[in-house]
Each structure stands twice: as C-alpha cells, then as structure tokens.
Amino acid sequence: MTDETVTFEKMNETSLSHQQQRAFQPEKLSAPRDFSKPSMLLNKDANSMPIIIEIGAGKGKHALSFAAAHPNKHLIAIERTRNKFEAFAKQAELQNLANLIPVHADAIAWIVHAIKPKSIAKVYILYPNPEQHNPNQQWLNMPFFEFLLSRLQEGGEVVLATNIEAYMDNAVQQAKIVWQLPTLRQPVASDSQRTHFEVKYLARNEACWELIMQKPEGYQTRFDNWVASF
Ligand SMILES: C[S@@+](CC[C@H](N)C(=O)[O-])C[C@H]1O[C@@H](n2cnc3c(N)ncnc32)[C@H](O)[C@@H]1O
C-alpha cells in the first residue's frame, strides 16, 4: 500500500457518516440466477414514481395491500423461500397490480445488482426473525446495511418491525451508535394486520415494535458511487 493510498483511505473513512468499520464487498456477489432488471428501473419516465423495497415479503400480505393502496408508488417485494414466493406470486398474478414487482431472490444479491445509489424512497423489513443465537443475521449488524443505506435517497426511510424485544433493543442501539441515524421506535397497534407474522403475534397478545430510521441529508457511505458492472 502506498502512502497515497493510506491517505486516501483515511480521508474516505473520516468523511463517512457512520461508524461501521468492516466494509461490505458487493463485488464478490454474483447476480441471482435468471437475473433481469425490472423495466421500471430501466425506464426513466417510470422512475418519477417513488420506488419502495420490501425485504423478506413472505407470502406477500403486506406487499399486495401496500401496492393496491399506493398505485402511485412502485413496490419491489423480494422473497427467497420458494414455497412462500410461489404463494405470493400466485396472488400477485390474480390481483394484477401494475406497480407491484414480486422478486424471487436473495435480497442482498438482488439489491446489489439491480438498484442504483440514492434511488429508493423506503425499505420495509417486517418480522425478519433470524435464528436468535446468530446476531450476525440481524440486518443492522450486517456490513450490507451500509450498502442498503447507500441505495436510499436522502430523507428515505428503513422500517423494521419485530416481536423480539432483544432484536429491537439491538437495532435501536446500532441505528443510533453505529449508523448515526435519527430513529423512532414505537409499538405496533394491537389491531394492525400488515403481515401474516404480525397477525399471528398480535393474536397471541405478543408485543410488536416498529423502528423507523431516516437517512439524513448529506449522509455518506463507501458505496455512494458504486454500481454493479456486467
Ligand atoms: C419470518 S418471515 C416474515 C415474512 C413476512 N415479512 C411476514 O411478516 O409475514 C421472514 C422472511 O424473510 C425471508 N428472508 C430472509 N432473509 C432474506 C433475504 N436475504 N432475501 C429475501 N428474503 C429473505 C425468509 O425467507 C422469510 O420468508
């Protein structure tokens, strides 16, 4: 490493808006199988509609109702588990919503290859429920979260919901201390029915929480100019 590289890296690190040391390595991820960019990401006119992403859409309950209620927004809803995705895709076909794009893929690889910097208005991550003994699987603990923030527009939001109190406590701490984001933590209303998991937990009288994180103006990541090459 030359002196110049060291100086450049130091400058880069000091201008970052967050405290995450370990960098995500998008160049190591190959495109998902049968990958193709949805036409709305290629069509400049369609891009005037805000683009929302849902990660881990399950059987699509939230995605279908959100897209029906917001015809002026595009929703890309990503689910990697085949049987859940197939149930979702079947409903999506029946409802034929022009602004809903169901995607069967791992969200990390798909977002790396499909989404431009600062192009997303909002990201929903609803009841991700990773294995509880594996904190590396929590979204705000992952280096990928920096990449996800780089894809958000300034003022854009990430909405995370969970019924696991320890997950929410850690997410709030990571959002504030590592990612330096303004946050709002609030309880989910007991009559909310956004997703299948939310309905199940609230029916058992379990508490559910939601965390809304906003990307401030001028927020800088290491991926603000990074686009996948083919
Ligand atoms: C507990 S389920 C919740 C599903 C739905 N959001 C709900 O609340 O009913 C979590 C879902 O996230 C999906 N998932 C987890 N990691 C993912 C990833 N990297 N890409 C796409 N889907 C993912 C899983 O397959 C699973 O269906």
Side-chain angles (χ1 to χ4, degrees):
M1 205 182 274
T2 66
D3 282 357
E4 265 173 26
T5 326
V6 173
T7 316
F8 174 73
E9 283 187 354
K10 273 200 183 132
M11 275 168 52
N12 241 357
E13 299 288 317
T14 49
S15 58
L16 292 179
S17 299
H18 60 77
Q19 305 288 322
Q20 170 69 23
Q21 300 288 320
R22 193 155 63 92
F24 178 62
Q25 296 181 295
E27 67 285 357
K28 295 208 167 153
L29 282 184
S30 24
R33 204 155 14 119
D34 304 328
F35 174 76
S36 63
K37 274 197 192 191
S39 58
M40 34 95 27
L41 294 175
L42 302 169
N43 175 348
K44 285 203 177 72
D45 294 338
N47 277 355
S48 56
M49 277 183 21
I51 300 170
I52 320 286
I53 289 195
E54 182 170 349
I55 296 179
K59 293 181 181 173
K61 183 171 170 52
H62 173 262
L64 292 158
S65 57
F66 181 95
H70 300 93
N72 56 348
K73 295 178 178 165
H74 285 296
L75 176 65
I76 300 171
I78 312 172
E79 173 53 51
R80 73 176 172 198
T81 304
R82 178 175 295 281
N83 61 356
K84 289 188 190 184
F85 178 77
E86 281 172 358
F88 171 27
K90 201 167 157 189
Q91 282 305 315
E93 204 176 316
L94 287 174
Q95 296 191 28
N96 194 21
L97 297 158
N99 60 329
L100 173 62
I101 298 162
V103 172
H104 181 214
D106 180 276
I108 296 179
W110 196 87
I111 289 169
V112 160
H113 283 86
I115 303 295
K116 287 189 298 195
K118 297 188 184 170
S119 59
I120 300 299
K122 201 177 236 193
V123 178
Y124 284 100
I125 308 176
L126 303 175
Y127 304 94
N129 294 25
E131 290 164 35
Q132 293 216 34
H133 60 267
N134 193 348
N136 292 338
Q137 292 180 352
Q138 296 183 24
W139 287 98
L140 279 95
N141 291 346
M142 294 183 195
F144 168 71
F145 200 74
E146 179 180 356
F147 189 89
L148 188 62
L149 290 174
S150 77
R151 307 296 104 171
L152 262 191
Q153 295 163 346
E154 293 180 351
E157 291 177 346
V158 181
V159 178
L160 170 79
T162 183
N163 65 323
I164 304 168
E165 193 166 11
Y167 192 138
M168 183 48 66
D169 291 344
N170 177 65
V172 171
Q173 180 148 333
Q174 293 290 101
K176 288 184 177 167
I177 295 171
V178 176
W179 302 112
Q180 305 271 312
L181 299 171
T183 60
L184 173 68
R185 174 189 180 150
Q186 57 193 17
V188 172
S190 58
D191 60 353
S192 182
Q193 304 206 336
R194 282 178 300 187
T195 77
H196 288 109
F197 277 72
E198 189 166 80
V199 169
K200 181 171 80 177
Y201 298 137
L202 292 173
R204 291 183 198 153
N205 287 325
E206 286 181 32
C208 296
W209 295 272
E210 173 171 278
L211 180 65
I212 302 171
M213 296 157 266
Q214 194 175 49
K215 179 173 173 176
E217 265 183 43
Y219 193 92
Q220 291 194 41
T221 79
R222 285 167 280 213
F223 304 107
D224 295 342
N225 298 311
W226 196 95
V227 281
S229 52
F230 296 93

